[in-house]
């Protein structure tokens, strides 16, 4: 094999996420994420349930992608993350979808779980802008990202809506098979803040819309208050008001309902992680918010009422996907 042939083969190895599973997706192989050489999506519609600076009153133009590089055991969108929901679409169709969402009045184009398709999506964004797309692009991610991919997104992505799930590597391994998550997520978030800068807003319909910057979400998990306190402390001390912080209580124990249907994966998970069968009580969530206040977090998004309802989970019914 020639040096050129070796280089071409190496270039075909997927390096889009920290899993580094090394498959050749263009040859039809599926990576850890489950994706191969086509893009699948399950919904493209206005979404009202993001943070106010993202959804506003009009809604965020969300595109929900199938598969996921992180694949958390408690995922509320498990059928989407495993590729059981969604259909294949072309790059041209994705460009059309972006423009259709803009025509519906979306405040932005919100790409949900895009990491494993990032090379394709950069081409899509470029083509959509040539055809008149003028909205901010939101990269809605688990936080399990590579620095070089965030650098590659410069000029394409305006806003990062990113999770920071774990400060505890043992918990990251227990729930997401990713003990390296804290280190990877810190490096990624450092780069997001560097390339986006401080939050910038404009005004649409009398509300502030985020047009540049980073929103960091943290979801409180059952029995994991200490992990959450570590996360909030880390984010506050490292980034301060360079990020917008969102502290969430909407953990939904769908893994328990799946186990009741004899879903073999869910049954195995609950044998080793029985705490995931329970939602987070309001007292624990209030304790986390009190802690955030105590350490000096002066401004952050928080949720009130019953946020952990299945009704908050979109229907992945191909709305807006097909021609």
């Amino acid at each position: 094999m020639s040096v050129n042939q070796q280089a071409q083969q190496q270039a075909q190895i997927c390096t889009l996420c920290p899993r580094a599973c090394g498959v050749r997706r263009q040859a039809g192989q599926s990576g850890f994420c489950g994706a191969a050489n086509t893009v699948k999506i399950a919904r493209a519609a206005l979404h009202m349930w993001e943070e106010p600076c993202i959804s506003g009153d009009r809604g965020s133009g969300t595109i929900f992608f199938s598969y996921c590089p992180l694949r958390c055991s408690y995922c509320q969108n498990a059928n989407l993350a495993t590729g059981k929901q969604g259909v294949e679409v072309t790059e041209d169709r994705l460009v059309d979808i972006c423009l259709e969402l803009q025509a519906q009045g979306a405040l932005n184009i919100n790409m949900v779980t895009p990491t494993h398709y990032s090379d394709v999506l950069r081409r899509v964004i470029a083509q959509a802008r040539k055809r008149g797309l003028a909205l901010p692009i939101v990269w809605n991610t688990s936080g399990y990202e590579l620095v070089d991919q965030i650098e590659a997104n410069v000029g394409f992505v305006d806003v990062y809506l990113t999770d920071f799930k774990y400060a505890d590597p043992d918990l990251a391994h227990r729930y997401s098979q990713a003990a390296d998550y804290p280190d990877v997520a810190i490096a990624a978030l450092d780069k997001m803040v560097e390339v986006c800068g401080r939050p910038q807003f404009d005004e649409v319909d009398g509300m502030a819309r985020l047009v540049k910057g980073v929103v960091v979400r943290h979801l409180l998990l059952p029995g994991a208050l200490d992990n959450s306190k570590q996360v909030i402390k880390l984010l506050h001390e490292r980034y301060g008001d360079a990020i917008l912080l969102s502290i969430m209580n909407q953990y939904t124990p769908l893994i328990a309902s799946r186990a009741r249907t004899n879903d073999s994966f869910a049954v195995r998970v609950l044998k080793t992680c029985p705490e995931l069968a329970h939602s987070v009580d309001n007292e624990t969530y209030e304790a986390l918010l009190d802690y955030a206040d105590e350490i000096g977090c002066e401004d952050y998004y928080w949720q009130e009422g019953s946020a952990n309802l299945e009704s908050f989970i979109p229907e992945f019914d191909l709305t807006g996907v097909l021609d």
Side-chain angles (χ1 to χ4, degrees), residues 25-26 28 35-40 66-67 87-89 116-117 120:
R25 287 172 56 188
Q26 292 306 311
N37 58 352
T38 57
V39 177
K40 289 179 68 174
S66 303
Y67 301 116
V87 295
E88 295 177 3
V89 294
H116 49 296
Y117 296 128
V120 174

Side-chain angles (χ1 to χ4, degrees), residues 130-208:
K130 287 180 181 179
R131 290 179 51 190
L133 182 68
L135 297 177
I137 302 297
V138 178
W139 200 258
N140 191 333
T141 170
S142 68
Y144 199 54
E145 296 272 359
L146 289 173
V147 168
D148 64 354
Q149 291 300 311
I150 297 166
E151 291 175 337
N153 281 344
V154 172
F156 299 95
V157 173
D158 303 292
V159 173
Y160 282 94
L161 180 56
T162 181
D163 294 342
F164 201 106
K165 296 177 181 292
Y166 313 108
D168 180 351
D170 292 335
L171 202 64
H173 175 71
R174 179 178 175 84
Y175 292 153
S176 301
Q177 301 178 61
D180 62 345
Y181 181 95
D183 291 338
V184 168
I186 288 171
L189 185 52
D190 282 350
K191 182 58 65 172
M192 293 174 192
V193 172
E194 176 188 324
V195 300
C196 288
R198 300 176 67 83
Q200 300 175 33
F201 302 87
D202 66 6
E203 187 174 307
V204 178
D205 299 333
M207 295 191 66

Side-chain angles (χ1 to χ4, degrees), residues 1 7 27-28 32 36-37 52 54 58 82 148 159 182 232 284 288 301:
M1 182 182 296
F32 180 96
N37 58 352
I54 302 292
R58 293 190 191 180
T82 56
D148 64 354
V159 173
I232 300 306
T284 303
L288 181 58
Y301 295 110

Side-chain angles (χ1 to χ4, degrees), residues 14 17 55 79 82 85 94 106 138 147 155 168 220 222 273 276:
C14 183
C17 92
S55 283
N79 285 337
T82 56
Q85 292 173 304
L94 279 171
V138 178
V147 168
D168 180 351
L220 175 59
C273 307
L276 293 178

